[in-house]
Amino acid sequence: MYYAIISEDIENSLERRRSARPAHLKRLNKLADQERLMLAGPHPAIDSPDPGAAGFSGSLVVAEFESLEQAQAWADADPYAAAGVYAKVTVKPFKRVL
């Protein structure tokens, strides 16, 4: 089943994001290589594809896991979480319709 991992950043998270980004992307690429990743990306803090110094307000990952518990464990082990990028992370089932 697919699960949505909806993360909200702390204020001024950009530097923490930059330092943890390589490890974060490595984990996402592993899911993609396993054909389990539907989509992933950040939410720009301003209405722009390149928010510059404004940074990002959070992230969305939709990926396939065997259970909600496994999805939560994957989210908990995210390098962004370890780096203190996120203020809040919500994991919930996702049903693709279109």
Side-chain angles (χ1 to χ4, degrees), residues 14-89:
L14 190 56
E15 288 306 314
R16 291 182 187 200
R17 274 182 166 270
R18 285 182 178 148
S19 66
R21 188 169 191 260
H24 173 77
L25 291 178
K26 182 177 180 180
R27 294 178 81 235
L28 289 171
N29 282 318
K30 183 176 179 184
L31 285 178
D33 291 345
Q34 296 169 348
E35 298 182 354
R36 294 171 46 205
L37 184 64
M38 182 184 295
L39 65 91
H43 301 285
I46 59 173
D47 189 12
S48 172
D50 181 3
F56 301 92
S57 63
S59 300
L60 172 63
V61 173
V62 179
E64 187 176 21
F65 295 93
E66 290 186 21
S67 67
L68 178 60
E69 293 77 18
Q70 285 187 0
Q72 184 68 59
W74 188 91
D76 291 345
D78 190 317
Y80 279 173
V85 171
Y86 297 141
K88 179 180 177 184
V89 177

